[in-house]
Amino acid sequence: LIVAYALPFVFLALAALVHPRRGRMLLTVLVLAQAALSVLYLDYVHVRGRAVGGDYGVPYHLQSAARRG
């Protein structure tokens, strides 16, 4: 997986060297896709109040309610 993780970045670097304009476009798409995934995941956690299959602790709104009540 260490090698597989690096392959998209190697491809992006090669594309930027061969076709600078296309490489910049691919980088922009990659950044926008990562931003969209991050926002959607944070929205999911905010709405559900928990992470998918993970344990990040008690959500803040439940901690606040426990302190008040």
Side-chain angles (χ1 to χ4, degrees):
L1 287 177
I2 292 171
V3 173
Y5 175 78
L7 288 178
F9 301 104
V10 171
F11 172 74
L12 184 63
L14 287 173
L17 287 174
V18 174
H19 300 286
R21 181 170 264 203
R22 185 178 292 166
R24 186 174 297 234
M25 183 181 63
L26 287 172
L27 179 60
T28 303
V29 169
L30 178 69
V31 168
L32 291 175
Q34 287 295 326
L37 287 173
S38 296
V39 167
L40 290 171
Y41 179 72
L42 289 174
D43 180 59
Y44 177 84
V45 170
H46 177 73
V47 169
R48 288 286 195 116
R50 61 182 177 83
V52 181
D55 186 16
Y56 291 103
V58 179
Y60 180 73
H61 69 84
L62 294 178
Q63 292 178 13
S64 298
R67 286 188 193 132
R68 281 181 269 163

